[in-house]
């Protein structure tokens, strides 16, 4: 009894100390509820201590007021350092007087409707002792079930303060177990999926590369609660940070088995001096909650991305022939003109001229020279880009061009004329990646140079209809002459400067399709994708590898944004390559004149099929049916919103002796509709008889509950089906 009383007194004392409140009657708690169609995120303003707590994140409730019955909810919504929080903070700063603590108390909040579908809630928090304000911004995309979070930090002290941590989002979970799915890789090995259980302590996924920042880790994750989730079952969030630089996801499981997830810019080597009156705005963290597995989470993200996340997500895309793998740097005007003919012959929309077309004093004949000198190489293109644009036009195809405007080779006129425009230490040898260096985009003169390079090219050649924007190096020498004594701003200012150049370009060229590329998929995130129509997923175009890679990307990015090209990588049949490329934004990078008559006909027909079906692939809902991570095959389908047209892709990757494959049950169809099954991409290249299902009709009910008997059982073969409700066409 004595022990119990002591404990009571002790608990009371601790409370009193930690809140600094007198023990007067507490004012009631107030809830802030942020809802989408199927999700609620609810905060609690404590009447007792005026702090903001995350109370709930989960499925939509009939009335969030019931949450007031929850006891012991003490997850600070945006935990600080020095005032009671003993775990990882979302924010940490040192004030001008050297005090390193921060307290955030609720001041006000307001929810506004952007339109019928989007609400923005701004919650203002303030330190009672210092003029520091933190605004939590939470945008809810109602129909898509996606929530966006970002934070603004403002200080009005007499001098600058230093902020060390500045998360975009802090989320809390209370579950029995936590399963993290992450995606990592390297050049030509992007998006390898790994799942592991989070254990007590901290797990960090991050990057410190600066540019080409996502080369080893992509800023996306799934977090499953209690049990691992699969396509159609399991409770999880899918999260991603819209930031094209160093990012960090930090997962901390505490002594009570609660999990906090802190997402934002990687604070590594990036303490930021915040001037009085200035706003530090973090990038956005986007997430969706699903209690029906990863499939639903992906469809939510895809719909959101098409409507809000990527440039022109609801529009169409151009099919193209690229010359990178067929010519590399070795081409001239006649060779390129012949490729324009090939583009036309194949039935493609555009020819994309890749690296190697520029620089004269140090010609770009390999990757050791010329980067930065964006004038047409006179030996290769004596009549300039204008000639190629005109020749393309004559053939009724469009012309696009590659550029890598943030980079420079030391062997270039740009480097000779502006050594101070380059990121490098004044007193150390330069470290190169792909023989190149990164320009100092924090310098407004460099921003102008990048902007003007592209603007001049487009002004001189208004017929240029497409750009591939590459970025092949990380920041290997993190020092900016321009930033002087604020070197720790470099990683952050670089990305914001890149966005400001892209903003300027988009103001002048709002419609131009631009492919985001970074030595393959080294820069794939929703911070960049709002300026880009699509991204180059990887230089590895071996279709077997691509099945896994595209599978990985498909969890977070819609098919319309993922560029898949048919190339000479891999020894598989042209049909297999084509069928794999078709599940996203299809393109070509092959020797068209090396195709047999059969192969050419097959490709022309496949392109026509693709054009007929691209509306479903680009804008339809994706259902992943069989994962290559689970079986020796992969199967997925897209279906349009009226559920009268679907496309089904099946890839047999391997087959053990005697292995039989079960029928595949489809998803997302209307059970009451009757669908006709037609195998496509069969002309010329298809070996063996057509699928036994070809030409048959079934109800959606049958297809979803009994399934289709497809796949040849032969390794590295594929089938594609067009599934149509004939009456609904
Ligand atoms: C890397 C890209 O990923 C390739 O597609 C190609 O554009 C090369 N750069 C050109 O240097």
């Amino acid at each position: 009894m004595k022990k119990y009383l002591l404990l009571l007194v002790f608990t009371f004392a601790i409370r009193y100390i930690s809140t600094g409140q007198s023990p007067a009657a507490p004012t009631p708690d107030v809830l802030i509820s942020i809802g989408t169609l199927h999700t609620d995120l609810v905060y609690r303003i404590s009447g007792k201590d005026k702090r903001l707590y995350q109370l709930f994140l989960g499925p939509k409730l009939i009335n969030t007021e019931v949450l007031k019955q929850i006891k012991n909810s003490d997850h600070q919504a945006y935990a600080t350092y020095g005032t009671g929080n003993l775990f990882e903070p979302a924010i940490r700063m040192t004030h001008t007087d050297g005090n390193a603590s921060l307290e955030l108390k609720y001041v006000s909040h307001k929810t506004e409707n952007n339109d019928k579908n989007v609400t923005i809630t701004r919650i203002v928090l303030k330190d009672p002792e210092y003029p520091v304000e933190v605004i939590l911004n939470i945008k809810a995309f109602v129909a898509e079930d996606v929530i966006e979070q970002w934070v603004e930090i403002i200080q009005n002290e007499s001098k600058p303060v230093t902020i060390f941590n500045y998360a975009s989002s802090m989320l809390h979970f209370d579950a029995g177990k936590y399963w993290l799915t992450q995606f990592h890789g390297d050049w030509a090995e992007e998006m390898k999926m790994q799942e592991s259980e989070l254990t007590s302590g901290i797990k960090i996924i991050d990057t410190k590369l600066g540019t080409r920042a996502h080369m080893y880790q992509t800023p996306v994750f799934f977090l499953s609660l209690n049990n691992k989730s699969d396509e159609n079952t399991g409770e999880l969030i899918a999260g991603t940070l819209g930031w094209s630089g160093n990012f960090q996801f930090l997962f901390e499981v505490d002594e009570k088995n609660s999990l906090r997830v802190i997402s934002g810019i990687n604070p590594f080597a990036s303490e930021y001096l915040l001037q009085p009156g200035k706003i530090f705005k973090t990038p956005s963290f986007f997430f969706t909650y699903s209690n029906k597995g990863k499939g639903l989470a992906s469809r939510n993200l895809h719909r959101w991305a098409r409507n809000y996340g990527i440039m022109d997500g609801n529009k169409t895309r151009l099919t193209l022939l690229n010359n990178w793998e067929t010519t590399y740097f070795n081409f001239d005007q006649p060779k390129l003109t012949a490729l324009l003919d090939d583009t036309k012959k194949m039935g493609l929309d555009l020819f994309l001229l890749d690296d190697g077309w520029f620089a004269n004093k140090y010609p770009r004949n390999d990757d050791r020279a010329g980067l930065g000198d964006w004038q047409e190489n006179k030996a290769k293109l004596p009549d300039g880009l204008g000639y190629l644009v005109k020749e393309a036009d004559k053939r009724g195809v469009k012309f696009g061009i590659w550029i890598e405007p943030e980079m420079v080779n030391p062997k270039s006129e740009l480097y000779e004329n502006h050594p101070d425009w380059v990121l490098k230490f004044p007193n150390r040898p330069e470290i190169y990646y792909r023989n190149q260096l990164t320009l100092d985009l924090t310098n407004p003169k460099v921003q102008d140079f990048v902007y003007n390079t592209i603007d001049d090219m487009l002004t001189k050649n208004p017929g240029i209809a497409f750009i591939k924007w590459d970025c092949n190096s990380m920041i290997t020498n993190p020092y900016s002459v321009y930033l002087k004594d604020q070197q720790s701003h470099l990683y952050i200012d670089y990305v914001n400067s890149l966005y400001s150049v892209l903003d300027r370009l988009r103001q002048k060229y709002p419609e131009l399709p631009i492919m985001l590329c970074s030595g393959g998929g080294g820069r794939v995130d929703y911070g960049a994708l709002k300026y880009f129509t699509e991204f180059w997923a990887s230089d590895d175009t071996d279709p077997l590898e691509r099945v896994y890679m595209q599978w990985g990307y498909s969890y977070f990015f819609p098919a319309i944004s993922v560029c898949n090209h048919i190339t000479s990588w891999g020894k598989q049949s042209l049909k297999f390559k084509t069928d794999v490329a078709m599940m996203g934004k299809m393109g070509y990078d092959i020797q068209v004149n090396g195709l047999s008559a059969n192969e050419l006909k097959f490709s022309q027909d496949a392109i026509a099929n693709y054009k007929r079906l691209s509306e479903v692939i680009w804008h339809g809902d994706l259902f992943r049916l069989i994962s290559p991570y689970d079986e020796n095959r992969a199967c997925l389908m897209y279906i349009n919103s009226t559920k009268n047209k679907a496309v089904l892709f099946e890839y047999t990757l391997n087959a053990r002796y005697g292995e039989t494959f079960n029928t595949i049950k489809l998803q997302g169809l209307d059970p009451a509709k009757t669908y006709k099954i037609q195998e496509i991409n069969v002309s010329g290249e298809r070996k063996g008889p057509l699928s036994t299902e070809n030409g048959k009709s079934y109800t959606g009910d049958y297809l979803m509950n009994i399934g289709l008997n497809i796949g040849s059982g032969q390794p590295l073969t594929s089938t594609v089906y067009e599934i149509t409700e004939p009456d609904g066409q």
Side-chain angles (χ1 to χ4, degrees):
M1 185 65 181
K2 219 167 151 193
K3 220 168 153 193
Y4 177 70
L5 268 176
L6 251 167
L7 190 76
L8 213 74
V9 171
F10 180 71
T11 318
F12 184 81
I14 289 282
R15 282 248 166 92
Y16 180 69
I17 291 164
S18 69
T19 61
Q21 293 247 317
S22 68
T27 48
D29 290 353
V30 174
L31 303 190
I32 305 176
S33 301
I34 293 150
T36 64
L37 212 52
H38 300 103
T39 307
D40 273 323
L41 170 62
V42 183
Y43 295 101
R44 176 173 72 90
I45 308 158
S46 161
K48 238 187 252 165
D49 63 15
K50 290 282 173 273
R51 282 179 172 175
L52 185 76
Y53 296 94
Q54 182 195 309
L55 188 58
F56 179 77
L57 169 58
K60 189 95 188 151
L61 301 169
I62 297 171
N63 182 351
T64 51
E65 286 295 306
V66 295
L67 295 168
K68 283 190 174 155
Q69 297 168 60
I70 296 180
K71 298 268 173 299
N72 308 325
S73 76
D74 58 353
H75 296 316
Q76 276 189 61
Y78 200 69
T80 59
Y81 166 74
T83 49
N85 165 43
L86 298 175
F87 292 89
E88 192 70 19
I91 182 167
R92 186 166 73 87
M93 63 168 57
T94 302
H95 302 281
T96 35
D97 62 3
N99 188 322
S101 68
L102 185 71
E103 173 66 276
L104 291 177
K105 302 266 184 178
Y106 170 84
V107 176
S108 65
H109 78 279
K110 197 167 155 192
T111 299
E112 282 174 356
N113 273 71
N114 248 22
D115 54 45
K116 269 206 191 119
N117 192 46
V118 181
T119 64
I120 302 185
T121 303
R122 285 168 68 80
I123 308 174
V124 181
L125 309 172
K126 198 180 165 313
D127 190 318
E129 303 299 332
Y130 291 91
V132 173
E133 226 175 62
V134 170
I135 304 171
L136 308 187
N137 296 277
I138 305 133
K139 209 174 195 179
F141 299 88
V142 178
E144 295 82 5
D145 280 318
V146 167
I147 293 179
E148 172 180 358
Q149 295 180 300
W150 75 97
V151 170
E152 287 156 297
I153 305 167
I154 305 145
Q155 67 95 358
N156 279 304
E157 299 190 18
S158 54
K159 287 195 226 129
V161 305
T162 307
I163 44 177
F164 296 90
N165 293 69
Y166 27 74
S168 301
S169 154
M170 180 170 211
L171 293 174
H172 299 271
F173 301 90
D174 284 293
K177 286 181 184 244
Y178 306 101
W179 300 95
L180 176 69
T181 309
Q182 62 187 98
F183 295 81
H184 70 106
D186 194 351
W187 175 79
E189 297 178 42
E190 289 86 343
M191 285 309 264
K192 291 194 279 193
M193 181 165 74
Q194 251 178 357
E195 186 168 33
S196 54
E197 187 180 349
L198 290 174
T199 52
S200 175
I202 289 182
K203 158 110 187 174
I204 288 178
I205 298 174
D206 76 348
T207 160
K208 302 180 178 73
L209 306 182
T211 47
R212 202 176 178 174
H214 311 145
M215 184 167 166
Y216 305 135
Q217 301 282 348
T218 307
V220 293
F221 68 84
F222 285 120
L223 173 72
S224 299
L225 305 176
N226 297 309
N227 300 304
K228 288 183 180 179
S229 45
D230 57 26
E231 280 300 306
N232 296 312
T233 61
E235 188 180 8
L236 65 121
I237 69 154
T240 179
L241 189 78
W243 183 244
S244 311
N246 294 349
F247 73 88
Q248 186 189 76
F249 297 135
L250 183 145
F251 305 84
E252 184 171 28
V253 178
D254 68 16
E255 85 291 2
K256 294 197 179 91
N257 204 44
S258 290
L259 168 70
R260 59 182 59 189
V261 180
I262 303 179
S263 306
I265 295 174
N266 190 350
F268 168 79
S270 294
E271 59 270 21
Y272 211 90
L273 213 62
L274 184 58
Q275 300 293 333
K278 287 264 184 288
I279 301 177
F280 183 91
K281 187 174 170 216
T282 73
S284 289
F285 175 69
F286 304 94
F287 73 94
T288 184
Y289 165 86
S290 158
N291 53 12
K292 294 193 180 68
K294 291 172 178 156
L296 177 66
S298 296
R299 287 186 291 281
N300 289 346
L301 284 178
H302 294 172
R303 256 184 246 147
W304 168 82
R306 288 192 301 263
N307 291 338
Y308 303 98
I310 57 173
M311 173 101 198
D312 288 341
N314 289 313
K315 295 196 178 156
T316 58
R317 296 291 185 267
L318 298 163
T319 57
L320 59 84
L321 176 69
N322 187 198
N323 71 313
W324 175 239
E325 293 200 8
T326 49
T327 65
Y328 292 106
F329 298 95
N330 181 17
F331 55 79
D332 56 17
Q333 213 161 265
K335 226 186 204 175
L336 296 181
T337 317
L339 291 177
L340 292 173
D341 288 331
D342 290 343
T343 310
K344 179 72 185 166
K345 187 157 57 172
M346 293 280 275
L348 295 162
D349 301 316
L350 177 131
F351 171 69
L352 170 62
L353 174 57
D354 215 285
D355 195 353
W357 57 267
F358 50 89
N360 289 295
K361 182 169 175 191
Y362 303 106
R364 182 73 171 169
N365 292 329
D366 54 42
D367 64 16
R368 289 191 294 265
L371 216 50
D373 299 346
W374 299 108
Q375 297 78 35
E376 293 100 323
N377 177 278
K378 292 206 171 79
K380 289 183 194 172
L381 302 180
D383 300 313
L385 289 175
Y387 171 83
L388 293 171
V389 174
K390 258 192 234 131
E391 288 301 308
D393 195 46
K394 270 191 212 159
R395 289 159 178 79
V397 295
K398 294 178 194 287
F399 180 81
I401 189 125
W402 176 97
I403 187 163
E404 191 180 359
E406 299 157 72
M407 298 286 159
V408 62
N409 282 126
K411 223 167 148 193
S412 68
E413 290 184 80
L414 181 66
Y415 183 94
E416 283 175 354
N417 297 336
H418 300 284
D420 56 328
W421 283 10
V422 177
L423 293 176
K424 58 179 180 137
F425 289 101
N427 54 352
R428 295 188 190 280
E430 292 166 1
I431 297 172
Y432 304 121
Y433 190 90
R434 208 194 188 209
N435 313 302
Q436 65 193 59
L437 294 164
T438 309
L439 289 178
D440 183 3
L441 260 194
T442 66
N443 183 340
K445 286 191 184 141
V446 178
Q447 293 170 28
D448 287 346
F449 167 77
V450 172
Y451 174 84
N452 290 332
T453 299
I454 297 170
D455 185 37
D456 290 349
M457 189 169 78
L458 293 174
T459 310
K460 233 171 98 192
N461 306 289
I464 291 181
F466 186 93
I467 284 181
K468 176 178 177 184
W469 181 306
D470 208 345
C471 168
N472 282 294
S473 174
M474 52 292 280
I475 295 178
T476 46
N477 310 277
Y479 186 91
S480 152
V481 176
Y482 178 78
L483 287 177
K484 298 198 183 93
D485 59 351
Q486 288 182 359
Q487 294 301 318
S488 63
H489 289 200
L490 174 61
Y491 290 122
I492 295 176
D493 286 0
Y494 185 95
V495 180
N496 284 327
S497 306
L498 172 67
Y499 291 160
S500 101
V501 173
L502 289 165
D503 271 328
R504 269 166 85 188
L505 279 168
R506 276 309 180 196
Q507 264 166 36
K508 185 150 180 202
Y509 304 99
E511 311 242 289
L512 186 74
I514 311 184
M515 182 200 286
L516 174 61
C517 174
S518 187
R523 184 188 267 168
V524 182
D525 67 88
Y526 283 115
L529 279 170
K530 71 175 190 212
Y531 303 102
F532 292 84
T533 45
E534 54 221 80
F535 66 88
W536 183 229
S538 175
D539 279 350
D540 185 342
T541 44
D542 177 317
L544 176 60
E545 292 299 321
R546 289 298 280 222
V547 168
Y548 294 90
M549 212 180 275
Q550 292 167 197
W551 198 265
Y553 280 118
S554 84
Y555 283 118
F556 301 90
F557 302 98
I560 190 170
S561 65
V562 190
C563 298
N564 307 329
H565 290 183
I566 295 143
T567 75
S568 57
W569 280 59
K571 301 219 170 351
Q572 303 85 346
S573 69
L574 181 64
K575 171 169 169 60
F576 190 74
K577 293 178 178 186
T578 308
D579 291 353
V580 171
M582 218 187 227
M583 72 175 261
K585 209 222 122 190
M586 184 169 84
Y588 284 81
D589 198 342
I590 46 166
Q591 298 279 3
V592 174
N593 60 12
L595 297 176
S596 68
N598 257 355
E599 287 174 330
L600 179 63
K601 169 85 171 75
F602 169 81
S603 301
Q604 289 165 333
D605 290 348
I607 292 164
N609 287 337
Y610 184 69
K611 290 194 167 177
R612 189 177 66 256
L613 296 171
S614 54
E615 174 56 30
V616 184
I617 298 168
W618 293 342
H619 304 129
D621 269 338
L622 166 68
F623 289 85
R624 287 178 296 258
L625 305 177
I626 293 173
S627 165
Y629 284 91
D630 296 337
E631 292 192 19
N632 278 331
R633 60 181 174 164
C635 188
L636 66 147
M637 61 180 282
Y638 297 95
I639 179 156
N640 68 358
S641 57
T642 47
K643 295 184 185 284
N644 59 16
K645 182 70 103 182
V647 195
L648 176 71
F649 297 93
E650 176 275 334
Y651 311 108
T652 304
L653 307 177
N654 198 0
R656 302 288 306 275
Y657 178 76
E659 185 173 8
T660 49
F661 291 123
N662 296 333
T663 52
I664 294 175
K665 290 179 185 161
L666 277 49
Q667 291 175 31
L669 300 168
D670 180 341
K673 286 188 161 103
T674 298
Y675 296 93
K676 184 157 189 205
I677 312 294
Q678 249 173 314
E679 190 181 351
I680 59 163
N681 288 1
V682 285
S683 69
E685 274 284 286
R686 175 77 159 89
K687 303 278 179 286
L690 285 189
S691 157
T692 52
E693 303 286 13
N694 185 49
K696 295 201 175 147
S697 290
Y698 298 103
T699 61
D701 199 24
Y702 180 96
L703 291 168
M704 292 194 288
N705 292 306
I706 289 109
L708 277 182
N709 190 2
I710 55 173
S712 69
Q714 296 302 309
L716 302 175
T717 59
S718 51
T719 40
V720 182
Y721 300 86
E722 184 170 350
I723 298 173
T724 315
E725 184 207 11
D727 304 335
Q729 258 184 347

